[in-house]
Amino acid sequence: MSCPAYHVLISRYVDDALDEGERADLLLHLGRCSSCRLTLARYRRLDERLRQLSAAEAPSDCRRVLFQRAEAERPWFQAIAWLRPTTLAATSAALAVLLLASLLLPALSYRFPQQGIAIHFPGDASRQEAVRLTLPGGTTRVAAADNPEITLAGYLPPAAGVEHVALRWDEAAPSPAYVQIVFVAPHGPRVRFERSAADPPSAPIGDRMPDSVVLVHGQVWRYTRHISADGVEIVRLIRSTSSGDIISLEGRVPLQELVHLIEWLQ
Amino acid sequence: MLNGGPGVNEATASLRASAELARAHRLEELSRLYEDFGDRIYAHVYRMLGNRQDAEDVTQETFLRALKSIEQLRQEDRLTSWLYSIASNLCIDHIRRRRRLWWLPLPARDGDLPETAGSDLPAVVENGDLVRRALRTLSPKDALCLVLRTAEGFSCTEIAAIMGCSESAVWSRLARARAAFSEAYERMARDVEETR
């Protein structure tokens, strides 16, 4: 048996899952093969590292948010039983637009730290979830069916602040071609968020952009961009700390999104 | 729209009463589930995703989905593997969907950075982050299998129930995952050393 085949036995040996014959065969091989002995040692060492993989405790408000979501997703007959006619009328009306929040790329979670609202685009996921809004006090999911018109997966209580959602989805696209969301930010004005798939590419394919510097919260970051083999722009921020560590943030997202990430982490 | 004669009002009141009972039962069931499994599921999801906000969201989604289909669970003793199965599938979906965005944790101020002494890597770089980065090079199912076995301590039989596969498939996946994880981790550890 070759060494790669013995690696399979070594993996089960680490899990104490070999029968007597297999164990004897492996131990005989380990007595002769230093490479496999190193593999065994490496598997045991890395298993220990995995056992130390940190597990966090659920935050205290996780339960509260869970129950709020459970309330928001109650069956339709329960929702109707609590509705007042005036609430239905107000919710169904389209509201005036006051502000443009931002433009996002697919598969990105964007958080407004001041307002506690996040908008998430799953990107190339199934069509069952086009947009998810995380609002103060809970998460509400909005789904788009294969039809290009809007579909609300669940009743959105007015208290959540979402007043109108419109989606247009082109069949061939991995994400909605057009999204508009109007919602009321807590302690703030109504916000319109819009995203269109018609955004022009930000850099010609094949070119590498010159490095530049970005200042974020008094820290100097080196900023680079390049186009990947599949034609996607990759943005990177790199900083060397005073103690010699190199910290790098990279993503297929606009620079501003990485800057926001730095701000969230501060 | 809900206004009408006495008959309509009585029907509405009856509907509300039924809905209230169903709501109370539903919330009680959810409370029981979360009290018994909330911390464990969150810990598992956090190990898989490495991000607190994502872990919160997926944990909540796990229990909401469990609540919707708990009547279909016939055997109470399968509750643990069933919940882990829901959570794990949601983690896999999440991993597959999100774009690659890696970062090392930033301290609030430069002065908070861990001390580095000689050839020792900072603990945060050596262990948690390298482990997570190496795990991310694996397929989501291989990473799940490895985490369930090593970090969570599930047996092969339990992992097979969670992942919905045979025990021989679990052993094969573990062997593949260990080999791939080992190769990725060692390579990344060398890269970190070279950039210092």
Side-chain angles (χ1 to χ4, degrees):
Chain A
M1 193 158 47
S2 63
C3 282
Y6 276 109
H7 290 176
V8 178
L9 288 184
I10 290 172
S11 175
R12 286 171 54 204
Y13 180 65
V14 170
D15 289 321
D16 196 23
L18 294 179
D19 60 36
E20 279 191 29
E22 290 170 328
R23 182 185 165 92
D25 181 18
L26 176 62
L27 290 177
L28 189 63
H29 177 75
L30 288 174
R32 296 191 298 253
C33 181
S34 59
S35 172
C36 283
R37 286 200 298 273
L38 283 175
T39 298
L40 173 61
R42 192 163 58 240
Y43 282 7
R44 280 177 167 158
R45 185 172 66 247
L46 293 180
D47 265 27
E48 187 55 37
R49 293 267 162 82
L50 282 162
R51 271 188 282 276
Q52 294 170 13
L53 191 61
S54 60
E57 281 187 8
S60 55
D61 66 345
C62 187
R63 184 181 189 280
R64 177 183 58 82
V65 173
L66 168 62
F67 276 75
Q68 287 173 341
R69 288 182 64 179
E71 288 276 25
E73 292 184 10
R74 57 180 180 246
W76 65 270
F77 63 88
Q78 292 186 6
I80 289 178
W82 267 267
L83 284 179
R84 295 191 300 276
T86 52
T87 303
L88 275 174
T91 305
S92 63
L95 298 174
V97 171
L98 294 182
L99 285 178
L100 178 65
S102 180
L103 291 177
L104 295 181
L105 291 175
L108 179 69
S109 289
Y110 187 91
R111 188 179 303 278
F112 299 86
Q114 302 84 357
Q115 300 162 338
I117 299 171
I119 300 172
H120 175 74
F121 291 85
D124 59 351
S126 72
R127 305 293 177 86
Q128 296 307 308
E129 180 181 349
V131 175
R132 182 171 71 238
L133 306 179
T134 302
L135 304 168
T139 300
T140 303
R141 179 166 298 174
V142 178
D146 286 339
N147 294 326
E149 299 302 322
I150 181 180
T151 300
L152 284 177
Y155 170 62
L156 302 174
V162 176
E163 293 167 331
H164 174 73
V165 179
L167 296 164
R168 256 205 328 271
W169 194 304
D170 296 330
E171 280 297 317
S175 59
Y178 174 77
V179 177
Q180 181 191 82
I181 303 168
V182 177
F183 57 91
V184 178
H187 312 300
R190 288 191 180 87
V191 177
R192 182 188 75 179
F193 165 82
E194 251 186 345
R195 181 195 152 276
S196 170
D199 300 331
S202 58
I205 293 176
D207 287 354
R208 182 186 174 93
M209 300 295 110
D211 290 1
S212 58
V213 166
V214 175
L215 195 65
V216 181
H217 281 220
Q219 296 172 342
V220 176
W221 292 75
R222 185 163 61 87
Y223 162 50
T224 67
R225 290 183 296 162
H226 69 276
I227 305 297
S228 68
D230 55 355
V232 176
E233 183 182 71
I234 297 180
V235 176
R236 197 175 191 196
L237 289 175
I238 306 172
R239 181 172 81 95
S240 295
T241 69
S242 56
S243 54
D245 293 318
I246 297 176
I247 302 174
S248 169
L249 293 96
E250 181 180 294
R252 300 181 175 198
V253 297
L255 169 64
Q256 191 58 33
E257 301 310 321
L258 288 186
V259 171
H260 276 292
L261 280 173
I262 296 172
E263 291 170 348
W264 298 342
L265 294 171
Q266 293 296 329
Chain B
M1 275 174 255
L2 296 180
N3 294 330
V8 173
N9 289 338
E10 283 171 8
T12 304
S14 174
L15 181 63
R16 286 186 177 177
S18 300
E20 181 61 40
L21 273 176
R23 171 182 169 273
H25 174 74
R26 196 162 169 266
L27 293 180
E28 187 183 325
E29 189 72 52
L30 181 61
S31 180
R32 181 179 75 86
L33 273 178
Y34 190 80
E35 290 304 320
D36 290 344
F37 294 97
D39 285 340
R40 287 179 65 183
I41 294 295
Y42 181 88
H44 169 61
V45 172
Y46 181 74
R47 282 194 183 100
M48 287 296 297
L49 301 183
N51 173 280
R52 287 179 186 276
Q53 183 60 40
D54 290 344
E56 274 186 61
D57 196 34
V58 170
T59 297
Q60 291 158 10
E61 187 61 34
T62 297
F63 285 98
L64 289 173
R65 292 203 181 186
L67 192 66
K68 285 176 187 171
S69 55
I70 195 163
E71 288 86 2
Q72 300 165 16
L73 181 66
R74 301 289 177 212
Q75 298 161 266
E76 188 73 16
D77 58 352
R78 291 195 58 236
L79 184 57
T80 302
S81 60
W82 180 67
L83 279 172
Y84 267 87
S85 181
I86 295 173
S88 298
N89 285 330
L90 285 170
C91 287
I92 288 172
D93 288 344
H94 187 93
I95 290 168
R96 284 176 176 156
R97 280 201 303 262
R98 71 182 175 192
R99 295 286 191 236
R100 195 182 109 189
L101 189 66
W102 290 359
W103 63 82
L104 297 175
L106 287 175
R109 298 177 300 276
D110 279 351
D112 291 342
L113 283 171
E115 293 288 330
T116 57
S119 60
D120 293 332
L121 291 171
V124 65
V125 174
E126 182 182 19
N127 191 28
D129 293 285
L130 279 180
V131 169
R132 290 198 188 285
R133 288 168 64 184
L135 276 176
R136 284 177 179 173
T137 66
L138 275 56
S139 73
K141 286 192 174 180
D142 284 356
L144 171 67
C145 192
L146 196 56
V147 168
L148 286 173
R149 179 73 192 121
T150 56
E152 311 268 356
F154 282 105
S155 68
C156 174
T157 305
E158 290 167 328
I159 295 172
I162 291 170
M163 297 187 70
C165 62
S166 65
E167 291 189 23
S168 62
V170 171
W171 290 126
S172 295
R173 198 177 278 283
L174 269 175
R176 182 171 63 240
R178 275 199 175 100
F181 177 78
S182 165
E183 191 274 333
Y185 185 95
E186 299 289 327
R187 173 171 42 84
M188 288 175 180
R190 281 195 304 272
D191 289 346
V192 171
E193 281 287 349
E194 285 168 6
T195 58
R196 291 183 68 252

